[in-house]
């Protein structure tokens, strides 16, 4: 079963994302802490990470950088979510290696579509490498 780590310090949003993913057949789990999210990513090696940009201590951009700089987690597809839909914010995420960017609010269909697209692309890249 495909594992998805959801990191968002807003409980209602994190729980909605986890619920939506589980309803669609994913093994989704979450944390409100970006610091714990980094540890979970290293220990659980999820197939994909969905992470909010605006969080305390370590924001989503810093989280993405930490994930990309660790050889163990570097290849995990990473989707940033944020209410800030500015062009500069999106560029910053993409330049740090985000695989996708979802603006809040988003629909369940948009979330599932983004997750499935990133997983499909990731699988295709790894099949080509073999």
């Amino acid at each position: 079963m495909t594992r998805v780590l959801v990191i968002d310090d807003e409980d209602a949003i994190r729980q909605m994302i986890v619920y939506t993913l589980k309803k669609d057949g994913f093994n989704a789990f979450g944390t409100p802490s970006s610091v714990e999210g980094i540890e979970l990513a290293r220990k659980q090696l999820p197939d994909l990470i969905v992470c909010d940009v605006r969080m305390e201590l370590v924001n989503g951009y810093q989280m993405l950088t930490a994930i990309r700089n660790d050889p163990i987690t570097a290849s995990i597809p990473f989707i940033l979510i944020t209410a800030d839909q500015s062009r500069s914010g999106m560029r910053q995420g993409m330049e740090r290696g985000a695989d996708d960017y979802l603006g809040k609010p988003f629909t369940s269909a948009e979330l599932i579509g983004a997750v499935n697209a990133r997983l499909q692309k990731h699988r295709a890249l790894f099949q080509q490498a073999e």
Side-chain angles (χ1 to χ4, degrees):
M1 186 178 277
T2 303
R3 295 169 316 215
V4 179
L5 171 58
V6 179
I7 306 157
D8 194 319
D9 57 358
E10 292 184 50
D11 290 338
I13 293 174
R14 184 183 64 259
Q15 291 170 4
M16 180 275 302
I17 294 170
V18 168
Y19 173 81
T20 300
L21 293 169
K22 283 184 175 183
K23 190 173 144 192
D24 208 64
F26 293 98
N27 177 9
F29 54 100
T31 180
S33 164
S34 50
V35 174
E36 185 179 324
I38 292 169
E39 288 305 311
L40 279 172
R42 288 180 180 141
K43 290 178 183 173
Q44 300 290 325
L45 294 177
D47 298 294
L48 184 132
I49 298 170
V50 176
C51 182
D52 188 25
V53 169
R54 291 188 183 193
M55 294 186 293
E56 293 185 25
L57 296 179
V58 178
N59 69 35
Y61 299 127
Q62 294 165 321
M63 171 87 184
L64 174 57
T65 298
I67 293 296
R68 291 292 179 250
N69 287 337
D70 185 335
I72 294 170
T73 59
S75 65
I76 298 172
F78 199 103
I79 298 174
L80 284 169
I81 56 173
T82 186
D84 175 16
Q85 297 179 37
S86 70
R87 181 175 257 163
S88 63
M90 185 180 292
R91 284 293 347 130
Q92 184 176 2
M94 300 309 277
E95 288 169 4
R96 290 183 184 219
D99 295 287
D100 208 340
Y101 206 95
L102 273 177
K104 292 179 186 176
F106 50 84
T107 66
S108 295
E110 289 169 330
L111 172 65
I112 296 301
V115 167
N116 282 326
R118 294 308 117 217
L119 289 168
Q120 185 177 17
K121 182 177 179 181
H122 185 70
R123 288 181 187 123
L125 290 172
F126 273 89
Q127 286 175 351
Q128 287 178 350
E130 293 177 347

